[in-house]
């Protein structure tokens, strides 16, 4: 009989199913545990927020805000949007809950679905999952800059170290960490560089594609992001921001590199790694993984000292990152690091009208001891039970018939080699616990 649903998951969304979901759970548990060791606590912001929050923080002339958000009118006619990322929400929550009065810095992590109306392809979905973290610290009046630059660099390096520790804990190999500094938005620093870049781009304008041509006006830094083959040689010849940082930014960048080395975190510099928004400053980083084709960025992050203030809060430093969990999972699968499906530990093959109470009691005892147990809801022939036990990938079958109930000696069959042992209930738990290793 055909089994065709009238409905299918919406394009760009998908069902995550067992056994793959076990890998998702392992990834998320590992994140919680590693981030916990760095002193981060979990925040769970809502999945939708005022559209204006994202428009302000991500920027109106980004693809995300201009065409990728799922927005709708709420009952009160206000416009709300499904979150395309979570940094804006975390900053909003930081302000809303007065977290600047908590012991600084405030270290928060989150995980959950994000939504962007993009063209779906491998590693790119409309509902995708991110694991991210933010470190926020409201600037104390009178804080001296020189000392705090070194402190910021250490915070940046520790955040990056945390991501790399998380990936290492998962057994992910072949990662590449790229870092850059984009300075700060002052005439003697990034603004000066952007003017220079704009002037150089004007000179080669007619050799650039339409996207880059447009960006010369709106956001010249973003031209450096271009993946267009025909633009690569032109871009390679452009002036580099590293040569135009102000003294403070350049010292801070040197300190980030020293701090990373101190922590044993290998990195590569990439002068083309940019963020197109004004409140992004200094450290930016990206991590790529193998086996993902062109969607190979698994983590992006950077410092955003101006964002909280832009959203109405006090001047506050911020650094954070977002990991693409879907791509992380794909990469683990490609590398053969996905978990083997976990079948059952024990399948209870029971038969006989009077046997059910014993079968239920056995299932309860085994589950309380932490074993994965399958208890068929109705009696069935032993042959059928053993076949099912096999299909479910069970390690053992516990055979319970009237004889076993009468004698109190239960039969445990090891399915791999067919051997059997007679055991009392308490011996059974002992034997199974020992075999768990
Ligand atoms: P990309 O250049 O790949 O579009 P991005 O710059 O838009 O990435 P960020 O907004 O920095 O990405 O998000 C951080 C991470 O989230 C990315 O490195 C990526 O792993 C993941 N990510 C972003 N968009 C998607 C998507 N549509 N589907 C799956 N993962 C995504
Ligand atoms: Mg994108």
């Amino acid at each position: 009989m055909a089994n065709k649903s009238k409905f299918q998951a919406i394009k760009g969304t998908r069902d995550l199913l067992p056994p793959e979901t076990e890998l998702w759970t392992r990834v998320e548990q590992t994140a919680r545990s590693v981030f916990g060791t760095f002193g981060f606590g979990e925040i769970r912001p809502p999945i939708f927020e005022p559209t204006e929050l994202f428009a302000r923080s991500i920027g109106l002339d980004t693809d995300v805000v201009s065409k990728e958000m799922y927005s709708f009118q709420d009952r009160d006619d206000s416009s709300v949007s499904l979150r395309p990322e979570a940094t804006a929400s975390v900053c909003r929550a930081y302000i809303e809950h007065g977290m600047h009065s908590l012991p600084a810095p405030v270290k928060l992590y989150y995980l959950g679905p994000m939504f962007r109306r993009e063209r779906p392809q491998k590693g790119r979905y409309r509902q995708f999952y991110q694991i991210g973290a933010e470190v926020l610290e409201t600037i104390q009046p009178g804080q001296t800059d020189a000392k705090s630059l070194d402190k910021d660099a250490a915070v940046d390096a520790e955040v990056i170290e945390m991501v790399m520790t998380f990936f290492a804990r998962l057994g992910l190999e072949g990662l590449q960490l790229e870092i850059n500094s984009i300075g700060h938005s002052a005439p003697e620093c990034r603004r000066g560089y952007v003017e220079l870049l704009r002037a150089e781009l004007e000179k080669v304008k007619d050799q650039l594609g339409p996207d880059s041509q447009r960006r010369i006006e709106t956001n010249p830094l973003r031209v450096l992001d271009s993946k267009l083959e025909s633009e690569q040689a032109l871009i390679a010849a452009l002036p580099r921001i590293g040569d135009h940082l102000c003294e403070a930014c350049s010292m801070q960048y040197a300190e980030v590199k020293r701090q990373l080395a101190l922590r044993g975190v290998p990195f590569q510099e990439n002068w083309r790694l940019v963020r197109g928004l004004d409140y992004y400053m200094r450290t930016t980083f990206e991590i790529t993984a193998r086996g993902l084709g062109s969607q190979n960025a698994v983590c992006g992050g950077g410092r955003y000292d101006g964002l909280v203030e832009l959203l109405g809060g006090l001047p506050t430093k911020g650094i954070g990152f977002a990991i693409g969990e879907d791509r992380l999972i794909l990469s683990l699968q490609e590398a053969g690091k996905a978990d083997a499906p976990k079948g059952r530990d024990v399948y209870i093959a029971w038969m006989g009208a009077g046997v059910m109470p014993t079968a239920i009691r056995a299932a309860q005892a085994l589950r309380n001891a932490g074993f994965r147990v399958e208890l068929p809801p109705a009696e069935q022939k032993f042959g059928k039970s053993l076949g099912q036990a096999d299909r479910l990938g069970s390690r053992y079958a516990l055979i319970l018939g009237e004889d076993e109930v009468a004698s109190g000696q239960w039969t445990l069959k090891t399915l791999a080699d067919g051997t059997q042992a007679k055991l009392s209930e308490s011996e059974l738990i002992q034997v199974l616990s020992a075999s768990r290793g």
Side-chain angles (χ1 to χ4, degrees), residues 48-60 64-65 69-74 78-84 88:
F48 60 100
E49 298 264 11
T51 300
E52 182 61 18
L53 173 68
F54 301 118
R56 279 258 195 129
S57 61
I58 303 170
L60 283 173
V64 170
V65 169
M69 282 209 296
Y70 288 96
S71 303
F72 53 97
Q73 297 303 121
D74 210 344
S78 65
S79 174
V80 298
S81 296
L82 299 184
R83 63 182 186 191

Side-chain angles (χ1 to χ4, degrees), residues 374-394:
E374 191 70 22
L375 175 68
E379 67 168 333
Q380 55 192 16
K381 297 234 164 65
F382 288 125
K384 183 170 177 196
S385 279
L386 291 175
Q388 277 186 351
D390 206 43
R391 273 200 300 284
L392 289 171
S394 316

